[in-house]
Amino acid sequence: MRKKCFVVLLPLLLSLLLSCTSMDSLTCPYLIENPRVELGESEGSYKYAGMRFSLFNESEKTIENFTMSFMLYDSDGNSPFLGSNCIVSKCKWRIQPGAENDFVISLDPYISVLPDEPYQIDYIYLREICYSDGSSWKDPFGMYCMREAYE
């Protein structure tokens, strides 16, 4: 039985290790700064609440778009929604190497009741970055996430 497991797992392990084309996939190519939830209307962005943040492109490639993931909690640390509190948003915006841009993600589609206090944000990370040269960087499990609660 052990030999069968070894024979099956060895090729899988080797393919995972050899699929890394460079050390670039082992470093985080971005920096998220000042993530926060704001309540109230922001014309053109959201009516009730939004998550604002700055994204710095630390890579040598131009970002075409990215997929962000984060979790929201109420002031007691509980999910504020009936469904999942994990928000995934795809942002299409060109960011040059070494440049920083400010972003807003509307939380209006998720809100059923406007909270008295802003939500707390945790587990913030980019799941995928697509570059202008057609390549991409992926972090499907949030290995480079920010693990602090932000208000």
Side-chain angles (χ1 to χ4, degrees):
M1 179 69 173
R2 285 186 177 177
K3 188 174 183 177
K4 281 186 179 181
C5 287
F6 180 76
V7 170
V8 171
L9 292 177
L10 182 62
L12 179 62
L13 183 60
L14 285 174
S15 67
L16 286 173
L17 291 173
L18 296 175
S19 67
C20 295
T21 56
S22 70
M23 292 302 286
D24 290 342
S25 63
L26 301 177
T27 60
C28 188
Y30 67 87
L31 176 67
I32 296 172
E33 295 180 315
N34 198 21
R36 64 202 179 279
V37 172
E38 295 180 350
L39 300 178
E41 186 171 1
S42 176
E43 193 171 323
S45 297
Y46 54 85
K47 186 171 183 176
Y48 302 109
M51 198 274 269
R52 294 182 175 272
F53 64 97
S54 296
L55 180 66
F56 180 75
N57 180 3
E58 291 190 332
S59 75
E60 296 179 2
K61 301 178 182 181
T62 300
I63 294 175
E64 284 292 320
N65 61 69
F66 60 89
T67 303
M68 173 177 253
S69 179
F70 58 94
M71 300 182 93
L72 293 177
Y73 298 93
D74 63 16
S75 58
D76 296 325
N78 300 314
S79 174
F81 312 121
L82 295 176
S84 174
N85 64 333
C86 180
I87 309 294
V88 178
S89 180
K90 185 157 187 165
C91 299
K92 295 181 180 181
W93 197 268
R94 183 178 279 258
I95 308 172
Q96 298 296 325
E100 182 176 21
N101 284 64
D102 295 327
F103 292 93
V104 178
I105 296 174
S106 174
L107 301 176
D108 292 352
Y110 308 98
I111 296 175
S112 57
V113 176
L114 189 62
D116 294 329
E117 300 174 359
Y119 295 124
Q120 296 177 15
I121 311 167
D122 193 16
Y123 208 69
I124 308 163
Y125 68 98
L126 299 188
R127 288 185 175 201
E128 181 176 17
I129 300 173
C130 296
Y131 296 103
S132 60
D133 67 359
S135 65
S136 66
W137 179 90
K138 295 180 182 179
D139 181 14
F141 305 111
M143 300 301 290
Y144 295 100
C145 73
M146 296 173 68
R147 288 299 322 241
E148 297 179 31
Y150 293 90
E151 293 182 9

